[in-house]
Amino acid sequence: MVGDGEGGSSSGSRTASGDSDVVRRERFSGGPAREFLSSLAADERIFDADLAVDRAHVVMLAERGIVANDEAGDILTALDIVEVAGHDDLPNGEDVHAAIETAVIEEIGPVGGKMHTARSRNDEVATCIRYRLREDLLDAVEATVTLREALLDVAAEHTETVMPGFTHLQPAQPTTVAHWCCSYAQALARDTARLLDAYERVNRSPLGAAAFAGTTFDVDRERVAALLGFDGVLENAMDASATRDFLVESVSALATLSTTLSGLAEDLVVFANKGYVALSDDYSSTSSIMPQKVNPDTLELVRATAGDASAGLNGLLTTLKGLPRAYNRDLQRATPHAWEAVDAVTHATDVAAGAVATADWPEEVLEDAASEGFSTATGVADLLAAGGLPFRTAHEIVAKASESGADYDAVAAAAEEVLDDPLSTYASREAVEAALDPVENVASRDSLGGPAPEAVAAHVERAGTELAEDAAALEARREALATANAALREEVNGYA
Ligand code: ARG
């Protein structure tokens, strides 16, 4: 092992206090608080990110003549060795950044210490988090795309499958399975958009900000950003190293998504309870004591994930609130909130997609249920209003009818009580009976966004186009990252 700082090495490892750098690191290694201080274990998540950030930085240092080409070659070779050995083999350190640097120095000697020229762990860690979070956000986007696809597939199959629609958990108006599916597909499209929007602001490079105050070296920040596939730099160095608003924004988008998911899961739990949907065995559990039970546990867990996401958001906001400029170690405890939220929500989204794709919708049960609770009442009132009656009067008649049978005779009797004219002035018997039929009732609500089969079919078509655009946007971002990655490898190979 080299890098013990002894022997008057030209790399200048003595500090102002006279300690060698190794002695000094030992002196400030945390003592009894060592574990409390260290993020090394949690940093496994950004091990690959740190190697990429190190490589891009070293390539840029060589290009600018800040380190010699052969020194860069040695460092880049050492980084490959460290990568193969893996995170578990890293020497001890306050974090992955320090540990990788130590490993590089152990590998090639004091020259390895040149890797940290013109940067600080403050800009380094911020860059690593962004680098890794990009991938995680794209995985989350992919999960929303998959769930939307599953919902639109079910919708396309069930544009004519009527079912009860609810307000206050009471049967309200008949709708269709397709209309219900599209309601969540549309909400999830906004979730996709929010995640992609967060991505735009995550994908900026802080590297070169150094501790917060920039550097005397003639660095090329744009070049490093491009080598790492970032869309540009965060210019102000103090903001670049200090801000974690990109975590708040990302987790906020995830928390919103998890709230959408929790509603979808809750609906499915209720529907399963009423026999309106049969979840596949893969997404159900049984009881350890009650042999007959088939429980929607997976969806209850999906529903609960909103708790994880909002806890993460709250954790982040509380940790970040009132932090002064520039770097403070509190930031180390902010990061895991984001990892936990993105993992939990992405996983829950995948599970919800599987549950939706494999569920069965029993058409007859749903059609029978669709007229329960006189849920066609609004359609009858609409019909009378269309025939010229003030809607409020029509509402009064149908409300009376709902108390005495909820069929044609009940409507006619109520009309006679309220009106001077006969009911037929406003609607024929056939028309009233059609409005009382859930299938026809649904078919008559063909306004834009309504549940009538053609209206929903047209919506499914448009939503499919939007989905394809989002899938393409996802692919383009993934490709840009892969291209940058390959280009960085090429550059590295030119030295190593
Ligand atoms: N591990 C730290 C983090 O996650 C980065 C270290 C910066 N340390 C420092 N003392 N300035 O934020």
Side-chain angles (χ1 to χ4, degrees), residues 371-382 384 389 392-419 423 432-433 435-436:
S371 51
E372 272 168 22
F374 198 14
S375 67
T376 50
T378 310
V380 177
D382 281 345
L384 301 183
L389 206 56
R392 192 52 53 216
T393 313
H395 188 281
E396 184 189 345
I397 292 170
V398 181
K400 278 191 196 297
S402 75
E403 283 160 16
S404 62
D407 55 7
Y408 176 77
D409 291 340
V411 176
E416 211 174 306
E417 254 182 74
V418 175
L419 301 177
L423 176 61
V432 173
E433 273 170 354
L436 286 164

Side-chain angles (χ1 to χ4, degrees), residues 39 43 94-95 97 121-122 125 244 327 329 331-332:
S39 60
D43 287 347
E94 257 187 27
D95 52 31
H97 323 291
R121 278 184 298 158
N122 298 352
V125 68
R244 294 294 183 273
Y327 181 88
R329 195 61 171 271
L331 295 179
Q332 180 168 292

